[in-house]
Structures are given as C-alpha cells and as structure tokens.
C-alpha cells in the first residue's frame, strides 16, 4: 500500500517548480548537520582516509585491501554525485511548520511514495546512468563513533549510499523519507582510481605489518583520488516534467497572510493542481 508523503518548501522553490517547471536537489554532504552523512564529510585529509582504511581493514573487510580500495572510491563518488530531497510521513505538525517556516511563507506539497518514485525515475532515467532511491530514514546515528557506525551500516547493506539514510534521534520528529538521485556517469573514473591503488598491490604489501599496509593504502588512495569539486555543484536543478502526475495537493503555512494564501491558490488553479488551503493547525475546532 502506498504511503502519503509531504514536503515543506519555500516560495522560491514553489515558483520554480510550478511556474518554471524546475525541481531542486541538494548534495547531502553539503548540509549543515555534519553528523548526517558523517562519513562523507570526513574523507578528505590523509588522517581521515587512514581512519576509514583502518576501520575497514580491521572490521568491515578484514585484510582485504582490494575491497577496501573499491569501497573507498564508491563512497568518494557518492559524496559528489548524490543529490537528495527530504520528504516527511507527517501530514503536518507544529515542529515541521516551525522548522520549515520560511518566514511563515512555507508551502507543503502532498504526494504518495509510489507516485514520487515513479516520477523521479522518469526524470532521472537509468539509461542515462542514474539510480533513484526512496528510503525511510533511520534515527539511530550516535554522536560518538559516527564513522565506525556508518562504515558498519554500509557493510550490512552493501550500499555506498547507506549513510544518507541515517540521522540522529534529535531529528526523529521529521519522520523523513529521503529521495536520493545518484549520477553514475563518472563511476568509471572511480573504478580506475581504485584500480590504480590495487595495481601490483600484493608486491607492495608483501611481508609488511598491518599498520604498514594501512599506511600504504592510505597513501595510494590519497594519490589516486580524483578531485570533482566545482563551484555550486551542491545544487542540482532539473526539468520537472509533468508535475501533476505526482503532486496531489498544496497547502500554505498556518500563519501566512491571506493575500499570500490567495497567490498560492491562484498559481495552483492556473496549473490545475489541487489547493488544500491554509493549514488550520492552530485554530479551535
């Protein structure tokens, strides 16, 4: 059975979606909460690489330096080429309207998970090397040992993107479902980087201690890593296609002024999108 999902957006994103027919996705690695996707924000320096390599070498894939290199570069690729949107299972709560108020101009979009997923797959076709995920977020991430925890979670699901679906319990009120778009068009570069680390590796690690092997892997990974960072690449804006195939309704912030509510209503009318009215969450019944 399909589930209803809700997204709280700004007026600017609403206009961009309904008037310009453009949808916006953001790289999770660029979000403010650095505990979220902790692993992806701790991959840059040699010290951070060594910590990841050591954890994988000792626990995730013990002694398997081929798998360590492959895993690192799959994560490195997903750091730069995964973009996401946040949706919620909650129709409306005081916490959601307050967290995403946008100056009391917030707009809530209503859909269903199957419609959203099918629409996203039409926007980002697998034939064009895209992969689309829609998953429920787990609020099990701890402040301590975040790196070790997220590497373990990645190993359990065998997914380089698993870290994007875990948050701290402080955000449990969001009831989030995350739509993740992965561009695999440059995944071959990640494969070649990993190959550069693994090339004749057995000759280089022969008779070395575990610590020496970890040091060697760290240096080679740092040496082979491709830099993909570009200005403003944390935002992905794409043609939204037929938005009526997934948007079931639009609601306005409960404290928005009436003139603003009327503007949103008129836009919905023009675009043949159902207007759910203004939230009455604070009104007496």
């Amino acid at each position: 059975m399909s589930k209803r999902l809700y997204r709280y957006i700004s007026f600017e994103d609403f206009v961009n979606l309904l008037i310009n027919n453009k949808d916006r996705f953001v790289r999770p690695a660029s979000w403010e909460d650095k505990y979220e996707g902790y692993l992806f924000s701790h991959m840059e320096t040699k010290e951070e690489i060594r910590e990841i390599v050591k954890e994988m070498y000792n626990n995730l894939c013990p002694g398997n330096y081929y798998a360590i290199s492959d895993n690192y570069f799959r994560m490195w690729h997903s750091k730069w080429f995964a973009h996401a949107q946040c949706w919620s299972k909650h129709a409306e709560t005081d916490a959601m309207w307050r967290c995403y108020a946008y100056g009391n101009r917030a707009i809530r979009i209503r859909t269903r998970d199957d419609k959203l997923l099918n629409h996203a797959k039409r926007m980002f076709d697998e034939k064009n090397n895209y992969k689309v995920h829609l998953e429920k977020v787990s609020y099990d991430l701890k402040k301590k040992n975040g790196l070790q925890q997220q590497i373990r979670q990645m190993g359990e699901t065998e997914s380089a993107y698993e870290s994007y679906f875990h948050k701290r319990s402080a955000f449990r009120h969001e009831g989030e479902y995350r739509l993740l778009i992965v561009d695999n068009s440059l995944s071959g570069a990640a494969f070649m980087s990993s190959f550069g680390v693994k090339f004749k590796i057995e000759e280089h690690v022969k008779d070395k201690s575990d610590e020496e092997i970890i040091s060697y892997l760290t240096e080679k990974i740092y040496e082979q890593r491709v830099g993909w960072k570009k200005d403003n690449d944390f935002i992905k804006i794409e043609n939204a296609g037929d938005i009526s195939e997934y948007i079931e309704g639009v609601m306005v912030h409960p404290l928005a002024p009436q003139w603003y509510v009327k503007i949103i209503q008129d836009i919905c009318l023009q675009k043949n999108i159902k207007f759910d009215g203004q939230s009455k969450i604070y009104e007496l019944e």
Side-chain angles (χ1 to χ4, degrees):
M1 182 180 294
S2 64
K3 300 180 183 68
R4 280 188 172 179
L5 295 179
Y6 308 86
R7 183 179 173 215
Y8 296 78
I9 62 176
S10 66
F11 176 72
E12 291 84 355
D13 277 339
F14 177 76
V15 168
N16 207 28
L17 182 59
L18 267 72
I19 303 299
N20 298 333
N21 203 51
K22 300 289 185 180
D23 211 352
R24 186 171 70 97
F25 299 80
V26 181
R27 276 202 295 115
S30 70
W31 287 344
E32 291 180 355
D33 180 18
K34 295 309 178 185
Y35 286 99
E36 184 177 354
Y38 181 92
L39 186 58
F40 296 102
S41 60
H42 292 75
M43 302 180 68
E44 298 285 345
T45 67
K46 286 186 180 180
E47 292 75 16
E48 291 170 340
I49 295 172
R50 182 181 176 84
E51 190 176 355
I52 292 171
V53 169
K54 188 172 183 177
E55 178 64 24
M56 289 195 289
Y57 187 89
N58 291 329
N59 298 310
L60 180 64
C61 39
N64 187 343
Y65 27 78
Y66 292 101
I68 290 170
S69 178
D70 288 341
N71 286 334
Y72 178 88
F73 283 106
R74 276 197 291 266
M75 291 188 297
W76 183 247
H77 177 272
S78 65
K79 173 185 174 75
W80 301 109
F81 294 98
H83 292 75
Q85 280 183 352
C86 302
W87 293 77
S88 174
K89 68 179 181 180
H90 299 309
E92 59 173 338
T93 66
D94 174 68
M96 293 301 288
W97 282 123
R98 289 182 186 277
C99 289
Y100 303 96
Y102 297 107
N104 295 342
R105 302 296 194 268
I107 298 163
R108 191 204 70 180
I109 295 175
R110 173 168 58 89
T111 187
R112 292 185 180 271
D113 58 351
D114 53 349
K115 287 185 176 182
L116 177 62
L117 183 59
N118 290 333
H119 177 75
K121 286 183 175 180
R122 279 189 281 273
M123 284 181 65
F124 301 97
D125 197 329
E126 286 190 4
K127 294 179 182 178
N128 295 321
N129 292 310
Y130 283 103
K131 190 69 175 178
V132 179
H133 306 264
L134 179 61
E135 301 287 345
K136 182 180 180 180
V137 170
S138 296
Y139 297 93
D140 57 357
L141 188 60
K142 309 297 183 183
K143 281 189 176 182
K144 293 183 178 180
N145 302 320
L147 185 144
Q148 290 81 2
Q149 184 184 11
Q150 293 195 347
I151 287 178
R152 185 181 70 251
Q153 291 165 343
M154 183 187 71
E156 290 171 352
T157 61
E158 298 183 351
S159 170
Y161 318 109
E162 183 62 25
S163 296
Y164 290 132
F165 300 107
H166 294 267
K167 300 179 73 170
R168 289 177 291 160
S169 60
F171 298 92
R172 192 180 298 276
H173 65 275
E174 295 173 339
E176 185 177 344
Y177 279 72
R178 182 158 296 173
L179 179 63
L180 191 71
I181 311 298
V182 182
D183 181 356
N184 288 312
S185 58
L186 288 176
S187 59
F191 171 81
M192 292 304 298
S193 293
S194 182
F195 177 79
V197 174
K198 295 183 294 185
F199 184 68
K200 294 185 177 181
I201 191 171
E202 291 187 0
E203 297 178 13
H204 295 285
V205 301
K206 186 178 179 181
D207 299 326
K208 283 185 168 58
S209 67
D210 289 342
E211 287 299 315
E212 288 173 328
I213 293 173
I214 290 170
S215 295
Y216 175 80
L217 286 168
T218 299
E219 291 293 332
K220 290 298 291 183
I221 286 173
Y222 187 81
E223 175 186 310
Q224 292 291 327
R225 201 173 60 186
V226 176
W228 280 310
K229 187 173 183 180
K230 299 177 183 177
D231 291 339
N232 298 323
D233 69 344
F234 56 90
I235 293 178
K236 189 179 190 69
I237 298 178
E238 295 290 331
N239 191 310
D242 183 4
I243 60 174
S244 66
E245 68 184 11
Y246 83 100
I247 296 180
E248 293 187 341
V250 169
M251 179 180 281
V252 183
H253 194 283
L255 301 180
Q258 287 305 302
W259 62 264
Y260 178 78
V261 176
K262 186 63 169 59
I263 289 174
I264 304 305
Q265 183 180 19
D266 289 345
I267 293 175
C268 288
L269 182 64
Q270 292 172 17
K271 297 300 178 179
N272 199 29
I273 297 294
K274 186 177 184 302
F275 182 61
D276 290 336
Q278 184 172 20
S279 169
K280 300 183 184 302
I281 191 172
Y282 301 132
E283 293 185 13
L284 290 174
E285 296 184 0

